[in-house]
Structures are given as structure tokens and as C-alpha cells.
């Protein structure tokens, strides 16, 4: 069973940066598609995909964050990161890490980490 633990959220001023971490246990990253999601208040708080990285290292980003956020993997630490630069107040949300096991529709979610951009 894949378990995920996020960390790195906090309060930051507009224009600032944060790096979120997602520690993965129960599977090597090579067997997972990893992504970050957040609540979108304009769509009834549904979760929207922020960034994704496949087992092959291919990345994809949501339109709202492309060019500002970067997703990366560290296989040695079995951890996925989300580097967030030039943060805006509209980036304020709870951010969740997701793991999808290759060849399945099995999803695992972390508990979330809060990012607040204000000041």
C-alpha cells in the first residue's frame, strides 16, 4: 500500500517561493505516476491537477502554474518535490500529493499541506 506524507507548506508573501515535499513509502517511484493537486474555489472546490511527473520523467502542468512551478523526483529519497516560485494570492490552497500505481486506477492521497500567499 502506497503512503504519502506531504510537508513544506506555510505562509509566504506574494512573489515568494516554497518547496513542497511528498515522501513516498510502499512503492518505488519507478512504479508510480506522481502528481500534485489543490482545491480550486472557482470550481466548487474540486481538486485541480497542478503538476504531474510520470515514471519516465515526463512532466505536465496546469495552465495557472506553468512557468512558475516545477515538479521533480528524487528516486534515492523516494520523494517528489514541487518548487513553487512567484507565488500569487490565488495559489493559496491545500496542496495534496497523489500517487497512481502504473497499470491500475489505484490512487493514493496524502493528508495535504496548506499554502497561504498573503501580505
Amino acid at each position: 500500500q502506497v503512503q504519502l506524507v506531504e510537508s513544506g507548506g506555510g505562509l509566504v508573501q506574494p512573489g515568494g517561493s516554497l518547496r513542497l515535499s511528498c515522501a513516498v513509502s510502499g512503492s518505488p517511484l519507478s512504479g508510480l505516476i506522481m502528481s500534485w493537486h489543490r482545491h480550486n474555489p472557482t470550481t466548487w472546490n474540486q481538486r485541480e491537477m497542478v503538476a504531474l511527473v510520470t515514471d519516465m520523467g515526463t512532466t505536465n502542468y496546469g495552465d495557472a502554474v506553468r512557468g512558475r512551478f516545477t515538479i521533480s523526483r528524487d528516486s534515492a529519497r523516494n520523494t517528489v518535490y514541487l518548487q513553487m516560485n512567484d507565488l500569487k494570492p490565488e495559489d493559496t490552497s491545500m496542496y495534496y500529493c497523489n500517487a497512481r500505481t502504473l497499470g491500475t486506477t489505484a490512487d493514493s492521497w496524502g493528508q495535504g499541506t496548506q499554502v497561504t500567499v498573503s501580505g
Side-chain angles (χ1 to χ4, degrees):
Q1 182 177 356
V2 177
Q3 293 185 320
L4 310 174
V5 178
E6 301 102 329
S7 60
L11 174 65
V12 64
Q13 292 185 341
S17 298
L18 282 175
R19 189 178 79 158
L20 306 183
S21 299
C22 175
V24 181
S25 59
S27 173
L29 293 181
S30 59
L32 303 171
I33 297 172
M34 300 297 301
S35 56
W36 288 93
H37 301 250
R38 67 185 184 187
H39 289 299
N40 185 340
T42 67
T43 58
W44 303 95
N45 270 332
Q46 289 183 349
R47 290 183 187 179
E48 64 175 357
M49 193 277 288
V50 172
L52 176 148
V53 60
T54 71
D55 58 308
M56 300 298 291
T58 302
T59 58
N60 193 20
Y61 297 92
D63 290 340
V65 307
R66 188 173 290 112
R68 299 187 296 122
F69 291 10
T70 303
I71 189 170
S72 62
R73 307 178 306 171
D74 184 335
S75 297
R77 290 181 169 82
N78 225 42
T79 298
V80 175
Y81 302 99
L82 184 67
Q83 178 67 42
M84 306 186 294
N85 297 330
D86 190 22
L87 282 161
K88 306 176 187 299
E90 52 264 41
D91 294 318
T92 296
S93 188
M94 186 74 79
Y95 283 72
Y96 298 89
C97 184
N98 172 274
R100 173 161 291 190
T101 303
L102 286 176
T104 77
T105 57
D107 280 329
S108 299
W109 292 92
Q111 81 288 351
T113 185
Q114 178 68 36
V115 172
T116 302
V117 185
S118 178

